[in-house]
Amino acid sequence: MLSLKKLAVSSFNENLAYIHKDCVAYKVDDLKSLTKVEIHGGVKPVYAFLQVVEDSRLVKPDELALNSEAFKQINLPEGANISLTLSPQPPSMNSIRRKIAGNILSSGEYSAIVNDILSRRYSNMDIASFLVASGSFMTASEVLSLTEALIGDKVLHWDKENIVVDHHCLGGIPGNKTDIIITAIVAAYGLPMPKTASRSVTSCAGVADTFAVLANVDLDEKQLRKVVMENRGAIVSHNYLELAEANRLISAVERQIGITQQQHITSSVLAIKLAAGVTHLVIDIPVGPNSRIKSTNEAMRLRKLIEYVGDMLSIEIDAVITDGSEPIGNGVGAVLEARDIMKILRNKEDAPQDLREKSLFLAGRILEFDPKLRGGQGYHVAKEILTSGRALEAMNKIIYAQGKAPQPQLGSLTRDIVSNVSGVVESIDNARINKIGILAGAAQYPGAGIDLFKKVGDTVEQGEALYRIHAVNSTDFAFANSVVEGYSGYEISKRGEI
Amino acid sequence: MLSLKKLAVSSFNENLAYIHKDCVAYKVDDLKSLTKVEIHGGVKPVYAFLQVVEDSRLVKPDELALNSEAFKQINLPEGANISLTLSPQPPSMNSIRRKIAGNILSSGEYSAIVNDILSRRYSNMDIASFLVASGSFMTASEVLSLTEALIGDKVLHWDKENIVVDHHCLGGIPGNKTDIIITAIVAAYGLPMPKTASRSVTSCAGVADTFAVLANVDLDEKQLRKVVMENRGAIVSHNYLELAEANRLISAVERQIGITQQQHITSSVLAIKLAAGVTHLVIDIPVGPNSRIKSTNEAMRLRKLIEYVGDMLSIEIDAVITDGSEPIGNGVGAVLEARDIMKILRNKEDAPQDLREKSLFLAGRILEFDPKLRGGQGYHVAKEILTSGRALEAMNKIIYAQGKAPQPQLGSLTRDIVSNVSGVVESIDNARINKIGILAGAAQYPGAGIDLFKKVGDTVEQGEALYRIHAVNSTDFAFANSVVEGYSGYEISKRGEI
């Protein structure tokens, strides 16, 4: 028996147990490394990885300390008596081995894997194995099984609403924050849109990051319900809501190993939306040579997969393949993107027209989910709502209801990247712009990012600025500067060459 | 700038950096979880995963603490000024993505992956991804590339020795500690055999665990060299020698996720032996329905792969496919196995004959690497060395030279498993015996294990004991007892039925 202690260390998704190297109760053999144990004493066993401590000030030989996550799960006071046993591999790891060997897994197997992930019996290594093993091939019905398993127990119900809408973009395009504009238009129209959004995954800013510039996005279920009931729309972080918890654990690993497959995109997006109680969903699949989805064939396969799983789980899907060949809007990075959005909602003349048009198009598709609307009218209704100022009004109400944010400053360290030649912008490399933005600190600081002055088809004079880099701190600024020298991401054809 | 602190926590293979949630220098955003950082201030950047600390007694807001592994690598005193940046993904992760997509990787790519693993730029999640991605298919030349990369910089050289021999068994068979007997015979003959062995991976005892019952196995390079030069043989832990370090990091993850592929077995075994300076290697590939390698075809594929890689890397391989249908020897678990070995070396009448014969056969194959020996004489020479007592003499010298161990006690909690019927032992399930032994504590306590009284073909009376379980502590004893009820692992045909 050991005495329970808390070490207030957050290891994010993993439970850790700290044992003294001269533990009085167990022989700690450091050669049996990476040992997973079951800790007994609470209502249910808690699973954790052992860490061996050499310093009795941290953990004494008669203590076992748990990190914040595991301590919360065991739900016992410090000083409680606990014991531990070696944890055998969860039986569902056999399914991972079967998947590696090329088998098709049953829905029971996916459900067992997800349950073991939720009970923390899977380490992040095990989750990575699952992602890679299932990433190489999954049948459509396997994706369905995984999606169902990922939804989890917590599902939001929107009483009396027959239609609950949302929009999701599969991403990879810098700028492109249509979601916030769409939410304003749809809310003004009156369809309920509880937009659940993510923080930045691999981009300069996620939708939740950008909206966090304007309003608080960390709402709990009750707060979300209130905002949506009163304003018909909200934009909140799905992480904070703890929807599709297993998906959150899997996505954290996916982000770290940087491996994303169509099958996991599908199950992840649909599980979150189903957990959020969405009944009608528009999905934007942007295609471009430097976007996440590179060919129309790939986009079409993804569309079919999403449609199949959506149909089987009774969520109405309208998946739209769009042009993802260049950034959408001018700003890349949370503060700059929020600026573009407000310009569009305010009907400013210098608002980026590409972002405005795309938002109207997608908002129109959502409005057409309403049986009362005559087919083909969605875009026009959306445009009327925007130009009349009703979208801005709805947005302001939502911001006020969620809690207005103290707007962060735009990064003051700037550099203009100029064109070496006079000519026409032939192409803009999404991946490059994204990379420069991230190096400038955009994934960490809302004020960092890139302000694009020229888009494809624009003429440019020699020495004229193509874009401006904004950074918040000098280290990031130096990083971005060192990389931009090599390749700016812009291709310019000399005048007369086209 | 933050002040460096050490947290004396060993996380085995992973570098961890502990940052206070209210860090004065960096914004800690817990939503960007599992963040990998580069820590600057030492000669080279050190890579680590962030852990967020809420308790200023552990880490202050102006400090950054490193765990034992990372602190050793940064090689700076506590209080030194350090800074950190977000660590981009190592470029070699692109190769992992290419592998998942079904590509064949170049030798340069394998070398880059291994270098990134060695510099701790790969998390254990990344290593798991590599294992699973490459486990689904690798060409023979990819296995060659990986093996070459895994050998590493540290290679033992045995000056003036033209032949340096070793033996490796691919395992999965309970008991079966031929290695120690073989080393005694080969050393007595005079061929140098610096046997590098592993601790238990998935079995009741590794060769290093069993020999640790008799002698110290944790020798450094200098000590190993001295023992081998003076006694022509040694049996040491390759972990302690830090040979093929990248392989050690990979194997730790492999063990945890429990996924082992032929390709990784090949690269792992050959990299360690090549790093140990072995020139001639006998490999035992036991085949049986309940052993690791289940069919002769599978064994043959593995043999060919090992031979191909061995040939390309100029290590002479004699790979032997043997019968792995039942345990070899009577004892399973370190103390019991050491007892069997000493009985054989002492030519005791009750020594297990199967283990004796197999050891003589394999030792004979090694002796035939000696050009001076006439073909076909190996077995006979080995037998003469054993029966004459010269092998025992060599063993005692090696034990003395490595340092005699304080022999641990055999577990005193025992239970005899008896037969329900009279008849003949038809089969013994290796996997089941292994599992019962591990539950009895054999992987952790040398004194735990299983003592087999009956082998295949033996007659047994109703109520007669088939084997005895030995455990060291009551928890393990209860575990083993609860499992053995279901299925003992023995199949007995009733008398007259055959």
Side-chain angles (χ1 to χ4, degrees), chain A residues 8 10-12 27 32-34 50-52 54 89 93 97 126 256-258 443-444, chain B residues 8 10-12 27 32-34 50-52 54 58 89 93 97 256-258 443-444:
Chain A
S10 165
S11 313
F12 305 107
K27 189 183 141 210
K32 321 255 165 157
S33 58
L34 295 174
L50 275 191
Q51 309 262 303
V52 178
E54 292 147 23
Q89 282 231 327
M93 277 302 287
R97 271 175 227 118
D126 296 333
Q256 258 305 315
I257 62 177
Q444 253 204 317
Chain B
S10 166
S11 312
F12 306 105
K27 189 181 140 213
K32 321 255 163 156
S33 58
L34 295 174
L50 275 191
Q51 309 262 302
V52 178
E54 292 148 24
L58 296 176
Q89 282 231 327
M93 278 301 289
R97 271 173 229 120
Q256 259 304 317
I257 62 177
Q444 253 203 318

mmCIF file of all heavy atoms in Angstrom, chain A residues 8 10-12 27 32-34 50-52 54 89 93 97 126 256-258 443-444, chain B residues 8 10-12 27 32-34 50-52 54 58 89 93 97 256-258 443-444:
data_model
loop_
_atom_site.group_PDB
_atom_site.id
_atom_site.type_symbol
_atom_site.label_atom_id
_atom_site.label_comp_id
_atom_site.label_asym_id
_atom_site.label_seq_id
_atom_site.Cartn_x
_atom_site.Cartn_y
_atom_site.Cartn_z
ATOM 1 N N ALA A 8 1.033 18.505 -9.281
ATOM 2 C CA ALA A 8 0.198 19.354 -10.138
ATOM 3 C C ALA A 8 0.880 19.609 -11.483
ATOM 4 O O ALA A 8 1.278 20.714 -11.816
ATOM 5 C CB ALA A 8 -0.125 20.659 -9.427
ATOM 6 N N SER A 10 0.350 18.948 -15.616
ATOM 7 C CA SER A 10 -0.581 18.519 -16.641
ATOM 8 C C SER A 10 0.198 17.970 -17.821
ATOM 9 O O SER A 10 1.040 18.641 -18.403
ATOM 10 C CB SER A 10 -1.454 19.692 -17.079
ATOM 11 O OG SER A 10 -2.088 19.331 -18.290
ATOM 12 N N SER A 11 -0.061 16.715 -18.134
ATOM 13 C CA SER A 11 0.612 16.081 -19.266
ATOM 14 C C SER A 11 -0.376 15.953 -20.414
ATOM 15 O O SER A 11 -0.276 15.068 -21.229
ATOM 16 C CB SER A 11 1.139 14.717 -18.844
ATOM 17 O OG SER A 11 1.806 14.826 -17.614
ATOM 18 N N PHE A 12 -1.387 16.847 -20.405
ATOM 19 C CA PHE A 12 -2.395 16.871 -21.442
ATOM 20 C C PHE A 12 -3.187 15.575 -21.423
ATOM 21 O O PHE A 12 -3.925 15.346 -20.483
ATOM 22 C CB PHE A 12 -1.765 17.212 -22.789
ATOM 23 C CG PHE A 12 -0.998 18.492 -22.696
ATOM 24 C CD1 PHE A 12 0.385 18.508 -22.693
ATOM 25 C CD2 PHE A 12 -1.660 19.695 -22.500
ATOM 26 C CE1 PHE A 12 1.079 19.692 -22.547
ATOM 27 C CE2 PHE A 12 -0.968 20.876 -22.352
ATOM 28 C CZ PHE A 12 0.405 20.868 -22.377
ATOM 29 N N LYS A 27 9.223 -3.211 -6.508
ATOM 30 C CA LYS A 27 10.587 -3.172 -7.022
ATOM 31 C C LYS A 27 10.574 -2.375 -8.333
ATOM 32 O O LYS A 27 9.894 -2.757 -9.288
ATOM 33 C CB LYS A 27 11.048 -4.618 -7.271
ATOM 34 C CG LYS A 27 12.508 -4.769 -7.594
ATOM 35 C CD LYS A 27 12.807 -6.252 -7.887
ATOM 36 C CE LYS A 27 13.787 -6.364 -9.037
ATOM 37 N NZ LYS A 27 13.620 -7.563 -9.828
ATOM 38 N N LYS A 32 12.656 -2.223 -17.220
ATOM 39 C CA LYS A 32 11.302 -2.501 -17.710
ATOM 40 C C LYS A 32 10.623 -1.153 -17.932
ATOM 41 O O LYS A 32 9.709 -0.774 -17.211
ATOM 42 C CB LYS A 32 10.517 -3.323 -16.701
ATOM 43 C CG LYS A 32 11.347 -4.382 -16.018
ATOM 44 C CD LYS A 32 11.034 -5.755 -16.541
ATOM 45 C CE LYS A 32 12.140 -6.714 -16.103
ATOM 46 N NZ LYS A 32 11.777 -8.068 -16.049
ATOM 47 N N SER A 33 11.139 -0.455 -18.884
ATOM 48 C CA SER A 33 10.734 0.940 -19.035
ATOM 49 C C SER A 33 9.332 1.056 -19.605
ATOM 50 O O SER A 33 8.747 0.090 -20.070
ATOM 51 C CB SER A 33 11.725 1.648 -19.945
ATOM 52 O OG SER A 33 11.772 0.991 -21.180
ATOM 53 N N LEU A 34 8.822 2.250 -19.590
ATOM 54 C CA LEU A 34 7.529 2.572 -20.183
ATOM 55 C C LEU A 34 6.419 1.663 -19.668
ATOM 56 O O LEU A 34 5.600 1.169 -20.430
ATOM 57 C CB LEU A 34 7.592 2.460 -21.705
ATOM 58 C CG LEU A 34 8.515 3.442 -22.409
ATOM 59 C CD1 LEU A 34 8.567 3.113 -23.881
ATOM 60 C CD2 LEU A 34 8.034 4.852 -22.219
ATOM 61 N N LEU A 50 4.201 4.822 -15.570
ATOM 62 C CA LEU A 50 5.120 5.091 -14.463
ATOM 63 C C LEU A 50 6.224 6.050 -14.879
ATOM 64 O O LEU A 50 6.770 5.949 -15.977
ATOM 65 C CB LEU A 50 5.781 3.780 -14.007
ATOM 66 C CG LEU A 50 5.035 2.910 -13.016
ATOM 67 C CD1 LEU A 50 5.976 1.832 -12.501
ATOM 68 C CD2 LEU A 50 4.497 3.725 -11.845
ATOM 69 N N GLN A 51 6.535 6.956 -13.967
ATOM 70 C CA GLN A 51 7.719 7.808 -14.084
ATOM 71 C C GLN A 51 8.507 7.561 -12.800
ATOM 72 O O GLN A 51 7.922 7.542 -11.716
ATOM 73 C CB GLN A 51 7.323 9.282 -14.156
ATOM 74 C CG GLN A 51 6.268 9.611 -15.187
ATOM 75 C CD GLN A 51 6.855 10.131 -16.469
ATOM 76 O OE1 GLN A 51 7.569 11.115 -16.490
ATOM 77 N NE2 GLN A 51 6.604 9.433 -17.560
ATOM 78 N N VAL A 52 9.797 7.384 -12.913
ATOM 79 C CA VAL A 52 10.588 7.043 -11.734
ATOM 80 C C VAL A 52 11.267 8.296 -11.179
ATOM 81 O O VAL A 52 11.978 8.995 -11.902
ATOM 82 C CB VAL A 52 11.632 5.966 -12.068
ATOM 83 C CG1 VAL A 52 12.482 5.656 -10.837
ATOM 84 C CG2 VAL A 52 10.939 4.704 -12.551
ATOM 85 N N GLU A 54 13.732 10.296 -8.472
ATOM 86 C CA GLU A 54 14.929 10.051 -7.656
ATOM 87 C C GLU A 54 15.002 11.009 -6.477
ATOM 88 O O GLU A 54 15.949 10.963 -5.699
ATOM 89 C CB GLU A 54 16.189 10.217 -8.531
ATOM 90 C CG GLU A 54 16.324 9.142 -9.590
ATOM 91 C CD GLU A 54 16.995 9.672 -10.858
ATOM 92 O OE1 GLU A 54 17.729 10.677 -10.779
ATOM 93 O OE2 GLU A 54 16.757 9.082 -11.939
ATOM 94 N N GLN A 89 -1.941 -5.394 -21.582
ATOM 95 C CA GLN A 89 -2.399 -4.657 -22.771
ATOM 96 C C GLN A 89 -3.911 -4.768 -22.885
ATOM 97 O O GLN A 89 -4.476 -5.842 -22.674
ATOM 98 C CB GLN A 89 -1.775 -5.295 -23.998
ATOM 99 C CG GLN A 89 -0.342 -4.903 -24.196
ATOM 100 C CD GLN A 89 -0.107 -4.418 -25.604
ATOM 101 O OE1 GLN A 89 -0.747 -4.902 -26.530
ATOM 102 N NE2 GLN A 89 0.756 -3.459 -25.772
ATOM 103 N N MET A 93 -6.097 -3.936 -28.355
ATOM 104 C CA MET A 93 -4.845 -3.793 -29.118
ATOM 105 C C MET A 93 -4.701 -4.925 -30.134
ATOM 106 O O MET A 93 -4.004 -4.783 -31.135
ATOM 107 C CB MET A 93 -3.626 -3.759 -28.182
ATOM 108 C CG MET A 93 -3.315 -2.403 -27.561
ATOM 109 S SD MET A 93 -3.015 -1.033 -28.748
ATOM 110 C CE MET A 93 -1.382 -1.449 -29.379
ATOM 111 N N ARG A 97 -3.494 -4.868 -34.179
ATOM 112 C CA ARG A 97 -2.624 -5.828 -34.880
ATOM 113 C C ARG A 97 -3.353 -6.406 -36.091
ATOM 114 O O ARG A 97 -2.760 -6.579 -37.155
ATOM 115 C CB ARG A 97 -2.215 -6.958 -33.916
ATOM 116 C CG ARG A 97 -0.960 -6.605 -33.161
ATOM 117 C CD ARG A 97 -0.598 -7.650 -32.101
ATOM 118 N NE ARG A 97 -0.308 -6.903 -30.893
ATOM 119 C CZ ARG A 97 -0.975 -6.989 -29.745
ATOM 120 N NH1 ARG A 97 -1.976 -7.847 -29.628
ATOM 121 N NH2 ARG A 97 -0.648 -6.228 -28.746
ATOM 122 N N ASP A 126 -0.035 4.133 -28.299
ATOM 123 C CA ASP A 126 -1.052 3.197 -28.787
ATOM 124 C C ASP A 126 -2.005 3.901 -29.742
ATOM 125 O O ASP A 126 -2.397 3.351 -30.773
ATOM 126 C CB ASP A 126 -1.849 2.607 -27.606
ATOM 127 C CG ASP A 126 -0.977 1.773 -26.669
ATOM 128 O OD1 ASP A 126 0.043 1.235 -27.134
ATOM 129 O OD2 ASP A 126 -1.314 1.685 -25.477
ATOM 130 N N GLN A 256 0.149 15.934 -33.433
ATOM 131 C CA GLN A 256 1.560 15.817 -33.114
ATOM 132 C C GLN A 256 2.320 15.011 -34.155
ATOM 133 O O GLN A 256 3.409 15.386 -34.558
ATOM 134 C CB GLN A 256 1.744 15.163 -31.736
ATOM 135 C CG GLN A 256 2.066 16.155 -30.655
ATOM 136 C CD GLN A 256 3.278 16.990 -30.983
ATOM 137 O OE1 GLN A 256 4.304 16.488 -31.429
ATOM 138 N NE2 GLN A 256 3.171 18.289 -30.767
ATOM 139 N N ILE A 257 1.755 13.873 -34.573
ATOM 140 C CA ILE A 257 2.492 13.065 -35.537
ATOM 141 C C ILE A 257 2.307 13.606 -36.952
ATOM 142 O O ILE A 257 3.035 13.239 -37.854
ATOM 143 C CB ILE A 257 2.135 11.562 -35.458
ATOM 144 C CG1 ILE A 257 0.663 11.295 -35.770
ATOM 145 C CG2 ILE A 257 2.455 11.008 -34.068
ATOM 146 C CD1 ILE A 257 0.303 9.820 -35.777
ATOM 147 N N GLY A 258 1.342 14.521 -37.100
ATOM 148 C CA GLY A 258 1.209 15.206 -38.388
ATOM 149 C C GLY A 258 0.737 14.305 -39.505
ATOM 150 O O GLY A 258 1.128 14.477 -40.653
ATOM 151 N N ALA A 443 0.398 30.829 -35.005
ATOM 152 C CA ALA A 443 -0.317 29.755 -34.311
ATOM 153 C C ALA A 443 -0.355 30.004 -32.810
ATOM 154 O O ALA A 443 -1.193 29.473 -32.110
ATOM 155 C CB ALA A 443 0.344 28.404 -34.616
ATOM 156 N N GLN A 444 0.553 30.851 -32.327
ATOM 157 C CA GLN A 444 0.603 31.108 -30.882
ATOM 158 C C GLN A 444 0.053 32.476 -30.494
ATOM 159 O O GLN A 444 -0.543 32.632 -29.439
ATOM 160 C CB GLN A 444 2.060 31.003 -30.415
ATOM 161 C CG GLN A 444 2.333 29.737 -29.624
ATOM 162 C CD GLN A 444 3.515 29.935 -28.717
ATOM 163 O OE1 GLN A 444 4.514 30.512 -29.129
ATOM 164 N NE2 GLN A 444 3.418 29.475 -27.483
ATOM 165 N N ALA B 8 14.124 15.594 -10.861
ATOM 166 C CA ALA B 8 14.735 14.267 -10.939
ATOM 167 C C ALA B 8 13.678 13.194 -11.200
ATOM 168 O O ALA B 8 13.385 12.351 -10.367
ATOM 169 C CB ALA B 8 15.512 13.972 -9.672
ATOM 170 N N SER B 10 12.599 10.303 -14.060
ATOM 171 C CA SER B 10 13.006 9.596 -15.254
ATOM 172 C C SER B 10 11.779 9.145 -16.026
ATOM 173 O O SER B 10 10.920 8.443 -15.510
ATOM 174 C CB SER B 10 13.861 8.385 -14.875
ATOM 175 O OG SER B 10 13.972 7.555 -16.017
ATOM 176 N N SER B 11 11.695 9.611 -17.249
ATOM 177 C CA SER B 11 10.560 9.250 -18.090
ATOM 178 C C SER B 11 11.027 8.256 -19.148
ATOM 179 O O SER B 11 10.458 8.174 -20.210
ATOM 180 C CB SER B 11 9.988 10.498 -18.742
ATOM 181 O OG SER B 11 9.813 11.488 -17.774
ATOM 182 N N PHE B 12 12.113 7.544 -18.818
ATOM 183 C CA PHE B 12 12.674 6.541 -19.698
ATOM 184 C C PHE B 12 13.164 7.196 -20.970
ATOM 185 O O PHE B 12 14.114 7.946 -20.918
ATOM 186 C CB PHE B 12 11.687 5.395 -19.904
ATOM 187 C CG PHE B 12 11.248 4.837 -18.580
ATOM 188 C CD1 PHE B 12 9.989 5.101 -18.064
ATOM 189 C CD2 PHE B 12 12.134 4.129 -17.792
ATOM 190 C CE1 PHE B 12 9.612 4.633 -16.830
ATOM 191 C CE2 PHE B 12 11.764 3.675 -16.544
ATOM 192 C CZ PHE B 12 10.505 3.922 -16.067
ATOM 193 N N LYS B 27 3.736 32.360 -23.350
ATOM 194 C CA LYS B 27 2.307 32.192 -23.120
ATOM 195 C C LYS B 27 2.001 30.690 -23.193
ATOM 196 O O LYS B 27 2.202 30.054 -24.223
ATOM 197 C CB LYS B 27 1.554 32.944 -24.224
ATOM 198 C CG LYS B 27 0.060 33.038 -24.007
ATOM 199 C CD LYS B 27 -0.574 33.786 -25.177
ATOM 200 C CE LYS B 27 -1.896 33.140 -25.557
ATOM 201 N NZ LYS B 27 -2.205 33.208 -26.971
ATOM 202 N N LYS B 32 -3.025 24.083 -26.988
ATOM 203 C CA LYS B 32 -2.005 23.610 -27.936
ATOM 204 C C LYS B 32 -1.233 22.498 -27.238
ATOM 205 O O LYS B 32 -0.078 22.661 -26.867
ATOM 206 C CB LYS B 32 -1.056 24.730 -28.331
ATOM 207 C CG LYS B 32 -1.731 26.069 -28.530
ATOM 208 C CD LYS B 32 -1.870 26.418 -29.982
ATOM 209 C CE LYS B 32 -2.904 27.518 -30.109
ATOM 210 N NZ LYS B 32 -2.791 28.337 -31.273
ATOM 211 N N SER B 33 -1.922 21.416 -27.011
ATOM 212 C CA SER B 33 -1.365 20.383 -26.153
ATOM 213 C C SER B 33 -0.261 19.607 -26.853
ATOM 214 O O SER B 33 -0.049 19.736 -28.040
ATOM 215 C CB SER B 33 -2.478 19.433 -25.741
ATOM 216 O OG SER B 33 -3.069 18.889 -26.890
ATOM 217 N N LEU B 34 0.425 18.802 -26.076
ATOM 218 C CA LEU B 34 1.467 17.921 -26.592
ATOM 219 C C LEU B 34 2.498 18.678 -27.422
ATOM 220 O O LEU B 34 2.916 18.228 -28.482
ATOM 221 C CB LEU B 34 0.856 16.819 -27.468
ATOM 222 C CG LEU B 34 -0.064 15.831 -26.761
ATOM 223 C CD1 LEU B 34 -0.696 14.902 -27.770
ATOM 224 C CD2 LEU B 34 0.695 15.030 -25.727
ATOM 225 N N LEU B 50 6.521 19.561 -23.617
ATOM 226 C CA LEU B 50 6.125 20.428 -22.518
ATOM 227 C C LEU B 50 5.133 19.728 -21.591
ATOM 228 O O LEU B 50 4.214 19.051 -22.044
ATOM 229 C CB LEU B 50 5.445 21.691 -23.060
ATOM 230 C CG LEU B 50 6.321 22.852 -23.470
ATOM 231 C CD1 LEU B 50 5.447 24.076 -23.710
ATOM 232 C CD2 LEU B 50 7.386 23.165 -22.438
ATOM 233 N N GLN B 51 5.332 19.934 -20.292
ATOM 234 C CA GLN B 51 4.359 19.551 -19.280
ATOM 235 C C GLN B 51 4.052 20.836 -18.525
ATOM 236 O O GLN B 51 4.970 21.594 -18.192
ATOM 237 C CB GLN B 51 4.972 18.531 -18.313
ATOM 238 C CG GLN B 51 5.633 17.339 -18.989
ATOM 239 C CD GLN B 51 4.737 16.123 -19.031
ATOM 240 O OE1 GLN B 51 4.294 15.628 -18.013
ATOM 241 N NE2 GLN B 51 4.448 15.659 -20.230
ATOM 242 N N VAL B 52 2.783 21.087 -18.261
ATOM 243 C CA VAL B 52 2.420 22.352 -17.630
ATOM 244 C C VAL B 52 2.221 22.152 -16.130
ATOM 245 O O VAL B 52 1.426 21.303 -15.709
ATOM 246 C CB VAL B 52 1.152 22.948 -18.273
ATOM 247 C CG1 VAL B 52 0.768 24.237 -17.572
ATOM 248 C CG2 VAL B 52 1.398 23.209 -19.748
ATOM 249 N N GLU B 54 1.273 23.473 -12.292
ATOM 250 C CA GLU B 54 0.426 24.477 -11.634
ATOM 251 C C GLU B 54 0.947 24.818 -10.241
ATOM 252 O O GLU B 54 0.351 25.624 -9.536
ATOM 253 C CB GLU B 54 -1.010 23.907 -11.507
ATOM 254 C CG GLU B 54 -1.711 23.760 -12.840
ATOM 255 C CD GLU B 54 -2.682 22.570 -12.847
ATOM 256 O OE1 GLU B 54 -3.142 22.169 -11.772
ATOM 257 O OE2 GLU B 54 -2.936 22.050 -13.954
ATOM 258 N N LEU B 58 7.123 23.199 -7.457
ATOM 259 C CA LEU B 58 7.828 22.329 -8.405
ATOM 260 C C LEU B 58 8.652 23.158 -9.388
ATOM 261 O O LEU B 58 9.824 22.904 -9.603
ATOM 262 C CB LEU B 58 6.822 21.466 -9.179
ATOM 263 C CG LEU B 58 5.990 20.462 -8.385
ATOM 264 C CD1 LEU B 58 4.987 19.770 -9.292
ATOM 265 C CD2 LEU B 58 6.904 19.420 -7.740
ATOM 266 N N GLN B 89 8.200 19.943 -36.863
ATOM 267 C CA GLN B 89 8.340 18.506 -37.069
ATOM 268 C C GLN B 89 9.660 18.215 -37.755
ATOM 269 O O GLN B 89 10.061 18.927 -38.672
ATOM 270 C CB GLN B 89 7.207 18.040 -37.991
ATOM 271 C CG GLN B 89 5.902 17.904 -37.274
ATOM 272 C CD GLN B 89 5.279 16.550 -37.542
ATOM 273 O OE1 GLN B 89 5.446 16.002 -38.615
ATOM 274 N NE2 GLN B 89 4.598 16.004 -36.573
ATOM 275 N N MET B 93 9.855 13.085 -40.759
ATOM 276 C CA MET B 93 8.459 12.627 -40.599
ATOM 277 C C MET B 93 7.767 12.547 -41.957
ATOM 278 O O MET B 93 6.799 11.808 -42.126
ATOM 279 C CB MET B 93 7.673 13.538 -39.647
ATOM 280 C CG MET B 93 7.875 13.269 -38.170
ATOM 281 S SD MET B 93 7.434 11.588 -37.582
ATOM 282 C CE MET B 93 5.635 11.623 -37.681
ATOM 283 N N ARG B 97 5.242 9.586 -43.588
ATOM 284 C CA ARG B 97 4.025 9.772 -44.383
ATOM 285 C C ARG B 97 4.143 9.050 -45.718
ATOM 286 O O ARG B 97 3.191 8.433 -46.193
ATOM 287 C CB ARG B 97 3.781 11.274 -44.608
ATOM 288 C CG ARG B 97 2.962 11.873 -43.502
ATOM 289 C CD ARG B 97 2.848 13.389 -43.624
ATOM 290 N NE ARG B 97 3.168 13.918 -42.316
ATOM 291 C CZ ARG B 97 4.149 14.739 -42.027
ATOM 292 N NH1 ARG B 97 4.914 15.227 -42.983
ATOM 293 N NH2 ARG B 97 4.361 15.112 -40.800
ATOM 294 N N GLN B 256 6.003 -1.756 -25.765
ATOM 295 C CA GLN B 256 4.797 -1.176 -25.192
ATOM 296 C C GLN B 256 3.583 -1.348 -26.082
ATOM 297 O O GLN B 256 2.501 -1.686 -25.608
ATOM 298 C CB GLN B 256 4.999 0.316 -24.910
ATOM 299 C CG GLN B 256 5.282 0.617 -23.465
ATOM 300 C CD GLN B 256 4.202 0.082 -22.544
ATOM 301 O OE1 GLN B 256 3.013 0.195 -22.804
ATOM 302 N NE2 GLN B 256 4.618 -0.543 -21.458
ATOM 303 N N ILE B 257 3.752 -1.112 -27.375
ATOM 304 C CA ILE B 257 2.584 -1.224 -28.233
ATOM 305 C C ILE B 257 2.339 -2.683 -28.617
ATOM 306 O O ILE B 257 1.284 -3.026 -29.118
ATOM 307 C CB ILE B 257 2.658 -0.314 -29.488
ATOM 308 C CG1 ILE B 257 3.833 -0.680 -30.384
ATOM 309 C CG2 ILE B 257 2.758 1.146 -29.084
ATOM 310 C CD1 ILE B 257 3.904 0.153 -31.665
ATOM 311 N N GLY B 258 3.329 -3.543 -28.337
ATOM 312 C CA GLY B 258 3.125 -4.979 -28.529
ATOM 313 C C GLY B 258 2.987 -5.385 -29.982
ATOM 314 O O GLY B 258 2.262 -6.316 -30.305
ATOM 315 N N ALA B 443 8.145 -11.967 -14.924
ATOM 316 C CA ALA B 443 8.831 -10.904 -15.650
ATOM 317 C C ALA B 443 9.440 -9.887 -14.686
ATOM 318 O O ALA B 443 10.351 -9.157 -15.035
ATOM 319 C CB ALA B 443 7.879 -10.205 -16.612
ATOM 320 N N GLN B 444 8.940 -9.879 -13.449
ATOM 321 C CA GLN B 444 9.454 -8.896 -12.486
ATOM 322 C C GLN B 444 10.355 -9.503 -11.424
ATOM 323 O O GLN B 444 11.311 -8.883 -10.993
ATOM 324 C CB GLN B 444 8.263 -8.216 -11.804
ATOM 325 C CG GLN B 444 8.048 -6.788 -12.272
ATOM 326 C CD GLN B 444 7.289 -6.018 -11.217
ATOM 327 O OE1 GLN B 444 6.341 -6.513 -10.622
ATOM 328 N NE2 GLN B 444 7.722 -4.786 -10.961
#
